[in-house]
Amino acid sequence: MVGLNLKIPYHYLLKPEASLGMSCLNQLRSHYMSKPPSVSLSWTDPFADATKGDDLVPSGTEDKIHIRIQQRNGRKTLTTVQGIGIDYDKKKLVKAFKKKFACNGTVIEHPEYGEVIQLQGDQRKNICTFLMEIGIVREDQLKVHGF
């Protein structure tokens, strides 16, 4: 059961309202780029900040995804994942993590950091490889903390 190879489709992890893809965004951009406004002399692209998703990284992903480990009682540890974009359904991600790593997990609401995923045990390496396998993040966007 440990060597279970999960193939999770990319669209499964997105929230339903995030189905507005880059193709639709590019169509809107081409429509507005074809006829710039005649009133303003300094015209800028209204979708310039939305091009973050063009280089194979989803547009909702923050700069870094922080993976931390916390010591609990004795040898028990807790792994937290912070910084996954708002386009992804974190409960579905936790469900996939639990199935793949054979651990328990939950999503908590932190007042400063927003939604944070918590998993039982030291799952830092597993989470890194899983997130890169399914294409949510590149290696340079992961920041692993802990001892």
Side-chain angles (χ1 to χ4, degrees):
M1 201 64 154
V2 175
L4 183 65
N5 188 5
L6 290 177
K7 298 289 184 183
I8 298 176
Y10 177 74
H11 66 278
Y12 174 76
L13 300 171
L14 291 174
K15 289 185 178 177
E17 62 268 9
S19 62
L20 181 69
M22 289 305 295
S23 61
C24 184
L25 187 64
N26 289 335
Q27 288 176 359
L28 288 171
R29 180 184 291 131
S30 65
H31 171 72
Y32 283 106
M33 296 282 286
S34 63
K35 46 184 172 181
S38 59
V39 177
S40 176
L41 295 176
S42 61
W43 182 76
T44 59
D45 185 10
F47 299 103
D49 59 340
T51 60
K52 191 174 187 178
D54 286 342
D55 56 330
L56 300 177
V57 176
S59 60
T61 308
E62 295 178 5
D63 292 340
K64 295 273 186 184
I65 292 181
H66 298 274
I67 301 171
R68 294 182 173 90
I69 189 168
Q70 297 174 355
Q71 189 71 35
R72 288 182 49 221
N73 302 339
R75 295 175 55 191
K76 297 184 184 291
T77 56
L78 186 72
T79 305
T80 60
V81 182
Q82 167 207 338
I84 295 179
I86 58 174
D87 291 346
Y88 295 101
D89 190 0
K90 300 201 182 37
K91 290 185 180 182
K92 288 183 181 179
L93 270 173
V94 168
K95 186 176 179 181
F97 287 152
K98 287 166 63 172
K99 194 170 190 177
K100 177 89 175 179
F101 309 141
C103 67
N104 200 4
T106 187
V107 178
I108 62 162
E109 184 66 36
H110 193 274
E112 185 179 350
Y113 301 123
E115 289 183 327
V116 177
I117 297 174
Q118 285 186 343
L119 297 171
Q120 282 183 343
D122 187 4
Q123 306 293 341
R124 292 175 291 178
K125 290 181 183 176
N126 295 335
I127 291 172
C128 290
T129 57
F130 185 79
L131 291 176
M132 287 188 291
E133 277 178 9
I134 62 174
I136 289 182
V137 68
R138 293 186 314 248
E139 187 174 1
D140 61 335
Q141 290 182 311
L142 290 173
K143 180 69 177 166
V144 180
H145 304 272
F147 36 80

